[in-house]
Amino acid sequence: MKVLVNDVLVERSEVKVDIEDRGYQFGDGVYEVIRVYDGTPFAMEEHLERFYRSAKEIEIELSLTMEELKGKLEELFAAGPFHDGGIYVQLSRGVAPRKHQYEEGIKPQLIAYPVPSKRPEKEQQEGVSAITADDLRWLRCDIKSLNLLYNIMIKQRAYTSGAFEGILIRDGYVTEGTSSNIFMIKDRTIYSHPASNLILNGITRMKLAALFAENGWTFKEQAFTKEELLQADEVFMSSTTAEVVPIIRIDQQPVGDGTPGELTKAVLQAFLQSLKEERVPSV
Ligand SMILES: Cc1ncc(COP(=O)(O)O)c(C=O)c1O
């Protein structure tokens, strides 16, 4: 398998990580996961824009322009074979003697490689369960930072309790999932936390917002409480890898009648249809 390291493609077995890479030691860096369907990237520009924004927010400057990086990623796809899954792209601040502060002139380290994954079709059809947990993360969740410690703790708690996702609650309000955005539906209005510093504004979330408008579905970017979540008619999550997945149980209680709701199913269909329109043949 080929890996993009800065601006060259190398075999995975040849890639070495320096013990003083700040990404490795401090999680000092940012990342993206870009969906690839049948060898073709989906929403690559949106992901790259978010990647460059995240890097800028923590003051890391890429040596490649966005166009150049796009070209390098295309070389990575061409080096295939690559079918379904994602491309993981990571940028660390670089290698420097271990101390918290850093000097000017460190060379950022970029890597990108394919991570195969299957579309969660069973979960999309049948729905999944979720747990809730306090959102104890930092206040810059809009940056796609390598620091995922708290997200991991809650995802693992969900996993070991047999749930698919952990829904995070800050000051009584639902923010997002550990690796997804959360939507609830009440009286046919779709709600999601506003795109602020408290959530990652998902690329899937943005695509869905456009589909809601196209389909005339009422969408409010408005925070809702844990109680409202538990009283919702329907709940679903969205992400690059999960696309749209109905949540049918939260903290052991059924959402609505405990089956995927009609509007959620329509949202999923609209999303899959939009992929087809972008010529994703396998969907
Ligand atoms: C914390 C968090 N929120 C939301 C999302 C969904 O974002 P996207 O739709 O761009 O994958 C992710 C995806 O990994 C995430 O990690």
Side-chain angles (χ1 to χ4, degrees), residues 161-225:
S161 64
F164 191 78
E165 182 57 302
I167 301 176
L168 301 170
I169 317 286
R170 195 188 289 271
D171 298 331
Y173 287 91
V174 173
T175 49
E176 60 181 339
T178 66
S179 62
S180 63
N181 291 115
I182 300 294
F183 297 79
M184 78 139 198
I185 301 172
K186 191 72 185 172
D187 301 329
R188 292 198 63 84
T189 296
I190 306 171
Y191 295 84
S192 168
H193 193 286
S196 68
N197 60 312
L198 299 183
I199 70 161
L200 182 78
N201 190 6
I203 304 300
T204 323
R205 181 184 180 282
M206 289 191 264
K207 294 267 175 203
L208 289 178
L211 289 177
F212 299 156
E214 265 174 45
N215 285 278
W217 295 322
T218 312
F219 176 45
K220 289 193 179 160
E221 292 191 82
Q222 186 179 304
F224 50 92
T225 63

Side-chain angles (χ1 to χ4, degrees), residues 46-281:
E46 289 91 333
H47 282 282
L48 290 184
E49 266 161 35
R50 189 171 66 184
F51 186 57
Y52 277 74
R53 176 188 180 273
S54 292
K56 188 161 178 276
E57 289 297 313
I58 63 164
E59 296 178 351
I60 304 184
E61 202 177 321
L62 281 98
S63 56
L64 298 175
T65 63
M66 210 182 291
E67 253 334 280
E68 285 167 342
L69 177 54
K70 199 169 160 216
K72 289 290 165 193
L73 293 176
E74 271 154 12
E75 276 178 39
L76 187 64
F77 301 130
F82 191 78
H83 302 292
D84 264 2
I87 290 281
Y88 178 74
V89 191
Q90 175 183 303
L91 180 72
S92 90
R93 192 174 306 277
V95 177
R98 191 197 176 282
K99 53 184 174 157
H100 288 56
Q101 71 277 30
Y102 53 88
E103 310 295 338
E104 292 289 303
I106 311 176
K107 185 173 181 286
Q109 296 293 313
L110 177 81
I111 54 133
Y113 65 97
V115 279
S117 71
K118 289 252 167 291
R119 301 183 46 242
E121 286 173 283
K122 184 169 181 286
E123 287 81 1
Q124 291 179 342
Q125 295 313 314
E126 296 175 3
V128 297
S129 60
I131 57 165
T132 59
D134 288 338
D135 190 347
L136 301 180
R137 300 173 301 165
W138 73 332
L139 294 171
R140 289 306 309 273
C141 300
D142 55 311
I143 298 172
K144 204 160 165 65
S145 151
L146 294 181
N147 282 278
L148 291 173
L149 198 47
Y150 191 71
N151 305 56
I152 290 168
M153 284 169 67
I154 302 306
K155 183 70 112 188
Q156 185 64 12
R157 191 185 295 172
Y159 176 72
T160 53
S161 64
F164 191 78
E165 182 57 302
I167 301 176
L168 301 170
I169 317 286
R170 195 188 289 271
D171 298 331
Y173 287 91
V174 173
T175 49
E176 60 181 339
T178 66
S179 62
S180 63
N181 291 115
I182 300 294
F183 297 79
M184 78 139 198
I185 301 172
K186 191 72 185 172
D187 301 329
R188 292 198 63 84
T189 296
I190 306 171
Y191 295 84
S192 168
H193 193 286
S196 68
N197 60 312
L198 299 183
I199 70 161
L200 182 78
N201 190 6
I203 304 300
T204 323
R205 181 184 180 282
M206 289 191 264
K207 294 267 175 203
L208 289 178
L211 289 177
F212 299 156
E214 265 174 45
N215 285 278
W217 295 322
T218 312
F219 176 45
K220 289 193 179 160
E221 292 191 82
Q222 186 179 304
F224 50 92
T225 63
K226 179 177 168 181
E227 286 66 40
E228 287 169 318
L229 174 80
L230 297 176
Q231 296 299 315
D233 299 330
E234 304 178 29
V235 175
F236 65 92
M237 56 182 269
S238 76
S239 79
T240 294
T241 35
E243 301 167 342
V244 172
V245 171
I247 294 178
I248 55 167
R249 291 184 77 78
I250 300 174
D251 293 341
Q252 317 287 348
Q253 292 178 46
V255 175
D257 67 2
T259 63
E262 289 311 313
L263 187 48
T264 300
K265 286 199 253 182
V267 169
L268 173 62
Q269 281 321 310
F271 184 73
L272 297 182
Q273 185 58 35
S274 74
L275 292 180
K276 280 204 182 113
E277 280 156 21
E278 298 210 22
R279 298 210 191 91
V280 176

Side-chain angles (χ1 to χ4, degrees), residues 7-24:
D7 54 0
V8 283
L9 292 188
V10 290
E11 278 304 325
R12 188 188 189 316
S13 56
E14 288 165 20
V15 183
K16 300 272 181 294
V17 174
D18 194 295
I19 57 166
E20 288 192 313
D21 187 301
R22 291 179 62 94
Y24 175 61

